[in-house]
Amino acid sequence: MTLFPRKWARVRLSNGDVLVENCRVADDFFSRGKGLLGRRELPDDEGILLVPGASIHMFGMKFSIDVVFLTKDNRVTDLAPQVAPGQARIARDGGVG
């Protein structure tokens, strides 16, 4: 039995194209807190889905990421490209998580 089981999802656009092949779902306190900490890089086919996720921070990170903020029904509300280590972002709409 795994103490913190990992959940994965494939993220598709509305036209069916795959946006992220391997997206880790972080939907509890521990997995959201861990996020991508400890990683040296994020391969092009990987991502992380923080649920809820109306804001993010990059404290302790070693690389930049592109951030997509979603509503509860998975509609894009904001984009934050190339968020660098040490920065933070909040969804423009105030975040609906």
Side-chain angles (χ1 to χ4, degrees):
M1 178 180 195
T2 305
L3 183 58
F4 300 109
R6 290 193 175 173
K7 302 173 194 172
W8 293 88
R10 178 176 292 128
V11 178
R12 295 182 182 271
L13 299 173
S14 59
N15 67 4
D17 290 348
V18 175
L19 180 64
V20 181
E21 184 68 36
N22 301 301
C23 191
R24 187 163 60 93
V25 178
D27 60 355
D28 61 49
F29 178 80
F30 296 106
S31 61
R32 283 192 315 272
K34 167 75 170 145
L36 297 171
L37 288 173
R39 303 277 305 259
R40 292 184 187 270
E41 63 181 12
L42 187 66
D44 288 341
D45 68 340
E46 284 190 28
I48 186 167
L49 177 61
L50 303 170
V51 182
S55 64
I56 61 108
H57 72 78
M58 297 288 289
F59 309 130
M61 295 293 296
K62 297 182 185 329
F63 53 89
S64 297
I65 62 171
D66 298 327
V67 178
V68 179
F69 292 99
L70 305 173
T71 64
K72 290 179 183 176
D73 61 345
N74 295 325
R75 300 217 183 259
V76 174
T77 62
D78 199 4
L79 301 171
Q82 292 297 303
V83 180
Q87 294 184 336
R89 291 289 186 275
I90 298 173
R92 263 186 277 181
D93 67 354
V96 292

